Structures are given as structure tokens and as C-alpha cells.
């Protein structure tokens, strides 16, 4: 290997534990795979407890308990306790539904460290359009319960054409709820979001105005609320270091036990993904060909191979390259230097087209076994 090629495996810091794909919401930008019904054989309590133990042994420091909706797992308290037993910082990433302050207190007693609640919109109709229903009041109830327990609260808002004009209201909501962190994360167009891109991608001027408002709030609220704004890849002209690079810092396990480097990697059908039921996390992280496929730089094509930013963006998003081009080793089309950047430019031009005042129809995320 060259000096810039494959090296010893980097240390992972975060385990993303997708406990279930069941969810009461049907968000049209969901990061779960389109093939939801193929992944209903969920790992049980003992299997997840073993995964947490192996994660700690691998050097992982924190676990994000997510889904779907992790609150639908009847054993969630036991899973939190298992993570705490391994000294993993444990973050619950939830829609807040079903809202249950008493259960949240039990989770805190089991060792839960922090809570992230997703907010779809401040407008009830907008929330119902993107999620299939409006649960605003229940979400506020769970946010209040989180703060009453003394747990750090993060509000996560996925921005898109339908809600990006309400960034000031979303900032005000975070202030009112006493959130420690507000994530204004523009939709990244993969999976369900890619299927709904025509309806969700905002115009550039709307993105830039929202960014201006977020940056102003960041300065005003410095020391009180951390305000994060993430541009959509389609308007960045240089790719993000997606998940801090392929299999460098994050390790994700699906509800049925498939180990991945990120949420969307399962969609890269050219790679073979293995299961924690049959392999240890250490073996998968260190030796699985799929995890090693895009580490280092030897895989990079031009212009990535000679780009001065290759050690910053790590070649961009492999999942996006596969989704748009069918080739996970291609240059991410979000990059202005990519041979097929025209695909992203064309999508941006369509987003500038005036729309009807009524929201466009979207494909809502559905799982037949959802509760």
C-alpha cells in the first residue's frame, strides 16, 4: 500500500444502534432504507447487549439509540442499562412518540445520558404533510419531560422546501424549550429523500436565507444554545466529509444486525454486508472488505486522487455516488469538480421553478408492521 493508501483501521467513536424500523411517523426524508419490510427480524436484548460490549472493547465511546422509533422497543430500559454497564455515553434519538414522561424517567434511571427529539415543523399542516400526522403537542410534552429530568436536550430539524421558511420559529421554539443544541440539518438526498427530491429540494436563495438566520442565532445564543446549520450537499459545491469519512468514526448496526459504516450504505448493492449474528464487531470493522472498501485513498478516481481536499472530505459520499451513478467509487456528483456534477445542477435548476401554493405530493415512509 502507498503511504496514502490503506492503513491500520481507525478507531470508531460512535455506535449507531438502529433498534427497530417500526415508527409511528412516516417522514418522507427518512434515512431508513426503502426496503423496510426486509429487515423486521430484530436483534433481541441479549444480542444488543453483546453488541454494546463488543463496541466498548473496540474503543467506541457513545451509542445513539435510534430507529425507526426506539420507544416502540419494550426492552428499551434494559438496552439503556446494558449500554451504561459498558460505560457508553447513551443518547436517545427519538420522535418523542409515543410521549410518556414516566417512561422517560425510567430510561433516565437506567442510565440514559441525553435525548434528541425530532421536530418536523412548527406548522401543524406542514408536520402532517412530511410525517403523515402532526404530533407537535406530544413532542413538546416529551421535551418538557426531558428538561424536567435534567437531561441535555437536542432538537433536530430536517429542513426542506416545506419548512425552511420557518427557521426563525424553530429557533424560537428551541429557546422556549430550553434546548442545549439545535440541529438545522438540510435534507440530504438519499433513500426516501431522493425519492421525494422534486418536492423537498428548496431553492438556493431559501437555503442561504435560512443559513443567514441560523448564523445570526448562533452568535446571539452563544453560550446558551449551540446552533448547527448543515447545508444540503446539492448547494455546497464541495462534498462534506460524510460521516467523517467511510468507516473512520461511525459504526451502524441495523435492527436485524447488519453492520454498516453509515445509514445509507445498505443501498450499495455492489458491496456484501455481513451480520453481527455471525461476526464480532471487531472482525467486521477491521477486516470486512465492505468496511475497508473506501478507507484510505487508493480507491479514489481523478479528480479526487489529486485534490488538495481529499484528506478533508475523504472523497465525499459513497452512497450518493452510488445512488446517482450506480458506482460507489465514482466522484461524488455534489462536488463541482465531478464529471457528473451536471446531475446536481439540473436538480437545482428544477428547484428554482415556481411551485403551486399547495405542497406537492410525497411518498411517505411506510412499514406494514409499524405501530
Amino acid at each position: 500500500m502507498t503511504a496514502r493508501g490503506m492503513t491500520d483501521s481507525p478507531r470508531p467513536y460512535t455506535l449507531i444502534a438502529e433498534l427497530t424500523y417500526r415508527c409511528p411517523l412516516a417522514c418522507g426524508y427518512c434515512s431508513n432504507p426503502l426496503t423496510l419490510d426486509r429487515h423486521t427480524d430484530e436483534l433481541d436484548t441479549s444480542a444488543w447487549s453483546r453488541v454494546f460490549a463488543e463496541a466498548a472493547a473496540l474503543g467506541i465511546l457513545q451509542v445513539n439509540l435510534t430507529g425507526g422509533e426506539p420507544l416502540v422497543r419494550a426492552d428499551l430500559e434494559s438496552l439503556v442499562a446494558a449500554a451504561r454497564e459498558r460505560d457508553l455515553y447513551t443518547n436517545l434519538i427519538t420522535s418523542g412518540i409515543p410521549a410518556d414522561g414516566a417512561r422517560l424517567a425510567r430510561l433516565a434511571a437506567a442510565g440514559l445520558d441525553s435525548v434528541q427529539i425530532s421536530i418536523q415543523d412548527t406548522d401543524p399542516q406542514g408536520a402532517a404533510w412530511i410525517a403523515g400526522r402532526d404530533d407537535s403537542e406530544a413532542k413538546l410534552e416529551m421535551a418538557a419531560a426531558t428538561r424536567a429530568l435534567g437531561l441535555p436536550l437536542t432538537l433536530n430539524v430536517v429542513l426542506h422546501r416545506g419548512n425552511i421558511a420557518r427557521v426563525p420559529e424553530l429557533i424560537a421554539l428551541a429557546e422556549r424549550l430550553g434546548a442545549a443544541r439545535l440541529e438545522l440539518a438540510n435534507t440530504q438526498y438519499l433513500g426516501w429523500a431522493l425519492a421525494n427530491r422534486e418536492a423537498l429540494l428548496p431553492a438556493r436563495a431559501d437555503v442561504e436565507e435560512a443559513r443567514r438566520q441560523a448564523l445570526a442565532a448562533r452568535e446571539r445564543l452563544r453560550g446558551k444554545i449551540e446552533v448547527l446549520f448543515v447545508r444540503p450537499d446539492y448547494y455546497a459545491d464541495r462534498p462534506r466529509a460524510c460521516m467523517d469519512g467511510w468507516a473512520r468514526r461511525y459504526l451502524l448496526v441495523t435492527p436485524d444486525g447488519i453492520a454498516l459504516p453509515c445509514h445509507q450504505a445498505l443501498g450499495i448493492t455492489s458491496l456484501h454486508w455481513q451480520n453481527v449474528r455471525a461476526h464480532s464487531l471487531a472482525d467486521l470493522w477491521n477486516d470486512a472488505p465492505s468496511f475497508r472498501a473506501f478507507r484510505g485513498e487508493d480507491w479514489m478516481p481523478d479528480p479526487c486522487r489529486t485534490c488538495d481536499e481529499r484528506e478533508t472530505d475523504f472523497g465525499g459520499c459513497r452512497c450518493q455516488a452510488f445512488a446517482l451513478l450506480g458506482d460507489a467509487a465514482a466522484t461524488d456528483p455534489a462536488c463541482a469538480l465531478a464529471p457528473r456534477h451536471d446531475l446536481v445542477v439540473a436538480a437545482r435548476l428544477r428547484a428554482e421553478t415556481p411551485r403551486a401554493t399547495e405542497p406537492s405530493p410525497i411518498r411517505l415512509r411506510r412499514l406494514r408492521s409499524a405501530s
Side-chain angles (χ1 to χ4, degrees):
M1 295 292 177
T2 66
R4 295 198 308 273
M6 191 73 70
T7 61
D8 292 339
S9 300
R11 173 186 173 179
Y13 286 121
T14 300
L15 171 67
I16 302 171
E18 291 187 327
L19 302 179
T20 181
Y21 285 150
R22 292 174 287 157
C23 185
L25 305 188
C27 299
Y29 50 66
C30 183
S31 64
N32 291 166
L34 296 173
T35 55
L36 289 171
D37 291 300
R38 299 181 189 175
H39 306 280
T40 56
D41 182 20
E42 297 175 2
L43 297 177
D44 62 16
T45 310
S46 62
W48 275 116
S49 298
R50 175 179 61 81
V51 168
F52 295 156
E54 292 179 357
L58 195 55
I60 285 174
L61 299 177
Q62 65 178 358
V63 57
N64 291 339
L65 302 176
T66 182
E69 176 46 65
L71 288 173
V72 306
R73 290 276 305 219
D75 62 346
L76 186 56
E77 289 88 342
S78 297
L79 296 177
V80 169
R84 166 54 53 212
E85 183 181 354
R86 301 297 174 178
D87 290 327
L88 294 169
Y89 184 91
T90 306
N91 182 35
L92 178 65
I93 299 179
T94 175
S95 69
I97 310 300
D100 187 340
R103 189 177 191 204
L104 188 60
R106 294 196 298 272
L107 293 169
L112 186 65
D113 290 297
S114 62
V115 177
Q116 175 180 305
I117 297 177
S118 65
I119 300 292
Q120 280 66 46
D121 208 326
T122 55
D123 173 67
Q125 290 183 329
W129 173 70
I130 195 65
R133 53 190 274 183
D134 171 43
D135 292 286
S136 300
E137 292 304 316
K139 288 173 180 287
L140 298 184
E141 177 185 329
M142 284 295 275
T146 300
R147 297 296 297 120
L149 290 166
L151 294 172
L153 171 65
T154 293
L155 297 186
N156 174 268
V157 185
V158 177
L159 297 178
H160 49 78
R161 193 179 190 98
N163 67 2
I164 198 165
R166 287 185 282 280
V167 163
E169 290 90 335
L170 292 162
I171 294 168
L173 177 64
E175 291 185 78
R176 188 164 70 250
L177 294 177
R181 179 180 171 93
L182 171 63
E183 297 178 352
L184 298 167
N186 276 273
T187 303
Q188 304 300 341
Y189 293 93
L190 297 162
W192 294 90
L194 182 58
N196 290 315
R197 186 179 64 186
E198 294 299 312
L200 296 181
L201 183 64
R204 181 188 289 273
D206 295 330
V207 173
E208 292 307 317
E209 175 60 17
R211 181 172 181 269
R212 184 194 65 76
Q213 293 164 341
L215 292 179
R218 178 187 300 173
E219 290 302 313
R220 179 173 60 84
L221 298 171
R222 190 176 298 277
K224 181 180 178 183
I225 301 176
E226 182 182 4
V227 178
L228 176 69
F229 184 88
V230 181
R231 269 195 178 115
D233 282 0
Y234 279 44
Y235 289 116
D237 286 337
R238 289 293 185 274
R240 293 174 301 121
C242 187
M243 303 296 284
D244 200 21
W246 181 270
R248 293 186 70 253
R249 294 291 179 255
Y250 291 86
L251 197 164
L252 181 145
V253 177
T254 68
D256 52 338
I258 301 171
L260 304 168
C262 70
H263 297 84
Q264 295 293 331
L266 191 62
I268 303 179
T269 55
S270 58
L271 296 177
H272 173 64
W273 301 108
Q274 296 172 300
N275 201 294
V276 299
R277 300 180 197 265
H279 305 275
S280 72
L281 280 190
D283 286 346
L284 292 170
W285 180 262
N286 293 319
D287 300 321
S290 53
F291 274 79
R292 297 174 69 87
F294 302 114
R295 283 187 183 137
E297 299 177 20
D298 286 349
W299 64 272
M300 290 183 179
D302 288 327
C304 299
R305 184 182 296 272
T306 56
C307 180
D308 291 340
E309 298 182 32
R310 65 186 180 280
E311 295 180 358
T312 301
D313 60 35
F314 305 104
C317 181
R318 300 301 87 223
C319 301
Q320 189 154 254
F322 188 83
L324 296 181
L325 300 172
D327 181 4
T331 301
D332 183 348
C335 180
L337 303 176
R340 293 308 315 273
H341 185 58
D342 63 293
L343 296 174
V344 169
V345 172
R348 293 195 310 219
L349 289 174
R350 289 193 294 273
E352 301 295 334
T353 304
R355 307 288 177 89
T357 55
E358 290 297 317
S360 302
I362 61 172
R363 180 182 176 187
L364 291 174
R365 170 206 189 275
R366 297 294 186 192
L367 174 64
R368 286 191 294 272
S369 59
S371 60

